[in-house]
Amino acid sequence: MDKDGLSDEQAVRKVQKGRSEYFSLIVERYSSRIFSIGMRFFYNSDDSADFTQEVFLKAFDKIEAYREIAPFRFWLVKLAYNLAINMKKGRGEEHLQVEINEPVYSGETPDEAHVKNELKELLLMEINRLPERYRICLDLYFFFGLKYSEISGITGYPVNTIKSDVFRAKNILRDKLKGTLAEECYEM
């Protein structure tokens, strides 16, 4: 059984037909992406690992609902996004905060690393002050690389609204960072 040559959709069809061993292929392919979504919402490895496990359990339980209208990765990210929002609401946490994780070693001097960290903190602080809808659109567009149509499918916002929200968020950030060192370092 050569699992690696299968597309996501082919593996899902096999799972839907009772071949649950093919679900491990989906878990292998998407564990790090789902964990990354968890880190963006929960900010720690333990909660993100629990979240990842919960997403895959829910995906396995709901696999019959997948109808190949959109690529499977989109269906899975939407499921993860909705679960994260619900989990945060269940905890009484209303705001989605954005974190940017970078490699541990970047070849910078300690001074350069310090300045970069200060700039990153300033940018994150301003991103986290944005209205939640703007933060969500920015996160999915810039940090997850989703298309506007995919974000629309996940959030339920119209595509033009998402484009407008991303544009407005970038302008707000530009204004907030005007006159700071971050203005020069981050291209928006």
Side-chain angles (χ1 to χ4, degrees):
M1 151 175 77
D2 177 27
K3 291 182 188 178
D4 291 335
L6 295 178
S7 69
D8 294 341
E9 289 73 19
Q10 290 169 324
V12 168
R13 274 185 244 123
K14 289 191 179 289
V15 174
Q16 288 172 331
K17 290 178 182 173
R19 305 281 311 272
S20 59
E21 68 270 18
Y22 282 89
F23 195 74
S24 66
L25 179 63
I26 300 301
V27 173
E28 288 171 24
R29 287 181 182 171
Y30 291 99
S31 286
S32 63
R33 179 169 228 170
I34 300 302
F35 183 82
S36 178
I37 292 171
M39 286 298 289
R40 296 223 193 279
F41 278 87
F42 305 110
Y43 317 115
N44 71 68
S45 297
D46 290 340
D47 287 346
S48 297
D50 291 345
F51 166 76
T52 301
Q53 189 173 33
E54 187 67 30
V55 167
F56 286 116
L57 287 171
K58 196 170 270 303
F60 186 78
D61 287 344
K62 296 182 177 273
I63 200 82
E64 294 298 324
Y66 176 66
R67 298 285 174 235
E68 294 190 45
I69 295 168
F72 178 77
R73 71 177 178 82
F74 173 75
W75 182 86
L76 186 63
V77 167
K78 181 176 182 175
L79 186 142
Y81 171 82
N82 288 332
L83 181 62
I85 292 289
N86 290 335
M87 288 173 76
K88 284 194 69 93
K89 284 181 184 174
R91 292 177 170 187
E93 300 173 28
E94 296 179 16
H95 299 290
L96 168 68
Q97 293 189 344
V98 178
E99 286 190 7
I100 302 171
N101 296 316
E102 297 184 24
V104 175
Y105 176 74
S106 62
E108 302 165 328
T109 67
D111 286 341
E112 290 170 334
H114 177 72
V115 169
K116 189 174 184 178
N117 280 338
E118 291 292 322
L119 293 172
K120 184 174 89 170
E121 291 300 318
L122 178 61
L123 178 62
L124 291 176
M125 183 177 70
E126 293 303 333
I127 288 173
N128 289 329
R129 288 182 177 165
L130 290 170
E132 184 169 338
R133 192 163 108 183
Y134 292 0
R135 286 193 308 267
I136 290 168
C137 291
L138 276 179
D139 195 36
L140 294 173
Y141 184 74
F142 286 108
F143 301 121
F144 287 99
L146 297 178
K147 298 174 186 171
Y148 292 126
S149 60
E150 293 172 326
I151 297 169
S152 176
I154 290 170
T155 62
Y157 304 148
V159 170
N160 285 336
T161 300
I162 293 164
K163 288 179 183 179
S164 180
D165 287 352
V166 169
F167 179 77
R168 287 182 184 136
K170 286 168 54 176
N171 283 336
I172 290 169
L173 289 173
R174 233 183 245 116
D175 289 345
K176 295 285 185 182
L177 297 173
K178 194 171 191 124
T180 70
L181 188 57
E183 178 183 31
E184 298 172 23
C185 296
Y186 288 105
E187 191 177 316
M188 288 182 246

